[in-house]
Amino acid sequence: MAASTKQATGGVEEAAAEEEPRILEPGAAPFGNFPQYSRFHPPEQRLRLLPPELLRRLFPQSPESRPILGLDVGCNSGDLSVALYKHFLSLRDGETCSDASGELHLLCCDIDPVLVERAEKECPFPDALTFITLDFMNQRTRKVLLSSFLNQFGRSVFDIGFCMSVTMWIHLNHGDRGLWEFLAHLSSLCRYLLVEPQPWKCYRAAARRLRKLGLHDFDHFRSLAIRGDMANQIVQILTQDHGMELVCCFGNTSWDRSLLLFRAKQATETHPIPESLVEEGKEKNRLRSWRQ
Ligand SMILES: C[S@@+](CC[C@H](N)C(=O)[O-])C[C@H]1O[C@@H](n2cnc3c(N)ncnc32)[C@H](O)[C@@H]1O
């Protein structure tokens, strides 16, 4: 069945597993570590919703003195990480550097070492994108690896974190408490946070797939109390418990996943989001302000 047909009925995870049985070994991707993920959920779907000038407007500092530091959690094989880098620096296809190359550095991590190895090998911007194998839920390793990266720049937090299609896998594997802690760590590490939560229907699709394979359900699936409108649940956790505010929603992808931008309320270094960004987005009908 074509992936496009499955879009209407379930999550990409379900479509991917059925589409690529030999490559994906369905059930062997318990963390969402699908080897061909970007074929089913292409970066372009997300990028077209994001203004290319977003980072420059959020962080209008001089690039040489202070590069923008980003953290991409759950980077898979790096396709989205590379696409984000090119998008925010307005690099054309095939262009591997520009005057702005030193402006942005991304630390990209994933729990799956095979995916990380591939990301490293295929990355066209090895000076700007660093890929590491990291289980983000492992507190000790996380602290060591992230601090080591930040220390190189004399910084203690990232300017922006990207958490794209990862929350469901954390939630299914670590339960409500795990999701809450994951969001706590991310919000303490990043001044801004861009989150693309998977909707609840994707949880059901992921669990159904395991059942079809005769495998055990995810440990936590049946006992999750945080459920339903997952975008709203994540907004509530980040804003009420973790000191962030919702800046805007950039709209929904064709997979019905929203792109939510948050900002740490207390970060002293944070610049106010330019009104022009919000206004411009409104005009283009692609940036819905959720400010209250
Ligand atoms: C569905 S993919 C999303 C890939 C990419 N962010 C995107 O949106 O195109 C989810 C990724 O999260 C990774 N992941 C899941 N749990 C993780 C964890 N505890 N630590 C780091 N990465 C994790 C998986 O290995 C997988 O590559």
Side-chain angles (χ1 to χ4, degrees):
M1 185 179 292
S4 56
T5 315
K6 294 297 291 182
Q7 285 185 14
T9 56
V12 64
E13 289 78 11
E14 184 184 37
E18 290 184 358
E19 185 80 16
E20 296 284 336
R22 276 173 303 134
I23 302 171
L24 291 173
E25 291 291 327
F31 305 108
N33 45 334
F34 299 108
Q36 305 287 338
Y37 188 72
S38 63
R39 279 178 50 190
F40 302 97
H41 197 189
E44 296 71 36
Q45 283 192 8
R46 279 73 72 77
L47 297 184
R48 69 183 171 77
L49 298 170
L50 297 171
E53 68 281 7
L54 178 70
L55 296 192
R56 289 203 182 96
R57 295 208 184 175
L58 294 180
F59 312 108
Q61 302 95 339
S62 148
E64 274 160 35
S65 64
R66 204 171 194 283
I68 298 166
L69 299 187
L71 171 68
D72 184 11
V73 177
C75 63
N76 200 262
S77 53
D79 293 338
L80 181 63
S81 325
V82 169
L84 285 167
Y85 180 78
K86 287 171 66 177
H87 185 67
F88 290 132
L89 293 189
S90 303
L91 296 176
R92 285 183 292 273
D93 280 344
E95 204 178 354
T96 52
C97 74
S98 77
D99 291 347
S101 293
E103 221 176 286
L104 175 62
H105 287 266
L106 298 181
L107 178 65
C108 313
C109 66
D110 201 281
I111 196 171
D112 185 329
V114 176
L115 292 174
V116 170
E117 196 183 339
R118 174 150 24 115
E120 261 180 329
K121 269 195 194 135
E122 293 177 3
C123 178
F125 309 104
D127 294 339
L129 276 72
T130 305
F131 291 94
I132 57 169
T133 301
L134 168 66
D135 175 356
F136 197 79
M137 299 304 280
N138 181 322
Q139 188 176 352
R140 197 174 50 81
T141 329
R142 184 182 65 229
K143 198 162 185 266
V144 172
L145 296 179
L146 301 192
S147 306
S148 145
F149 178 85
L150 288 166
N151 287 343
Q152 293 172 42
F153 298 90
R155 309 269 276 277
S156 56
V157 290
F158 290 88
D159 293 304
I160 186 160
F162 300 99
C163 176
M164 314 291 275
S165 290
V166 178
T167 48
M168 174 180 83
W169 298 106
I170 299 293
H171 202 185
L172 284 172
N173 287 303
H174 298 272
D176 288 336
R177 189 182 173 84
L179 177 67
W180 194 91
E181 286 177 358
F182 174 73
L183 295 172
H185 299 315
L186 268 183
S187 54
S188 69
L189 281 165
C190 304
R191 296 164 62 200
Y192 283 87
L193 197 51
L194 187 68
V195 187
E196 180 191 38
Q198 287 106 327
W200 186 253
K201 66 182 176 188
C202 293
Y203 287 62
R204 287 200 303 262
R208 195 164 54 236
R209 192 177 69 248
L210 281 201
R211 278 198 298 278
K212 270 192 205 160
L213 292 165
L215 299 172
H216 284 296
D217 228 340
F218 288 99
D219 285 349
H220 298 275
F221 177 60
R222 291 184 188 284
S223 61
L224 296 179
I226 302 173
R227 55 172 59 220
D229 181 346
M230 288 311 300
N232 188 47
Q233 296 279 18
I234 283 168
V235 170
Q236 297 307 317
I237 296 171
L238 282 171
T239 58
Q240 291 178 11
D241 301 340
H242 299 328
M244 300 209 96
E245 61 187 337
L246 182 60
V247 177
C248 61
C249 172
F250 289 105
N252 285 45
T253 68
S254 56
W255 287 104
D256 194 22
R257 297 182 189 182
S258 40
L259 290 183
L260 306 169
L261 180 69
F262 298 87
R263 173 177 56 184
K265 281 188 208 155
Q266 298 301 326
T268 48
E269 295 168 296
T270 300
H271 294 266
I273 188 165
E275 286 302 326
S276 58
L277 187 62
V278 176
E279 291 308 316
E280 188 178 294
K282 273 183 190 161
E283 278 162 26
K284 292 180 183 167
N285 197 24
R286 66 178 179 183
L287 175 62
R288 224 172 343 123
S289 173
W290 280 23
R291 277 181 174 164
Q292 289 158 356

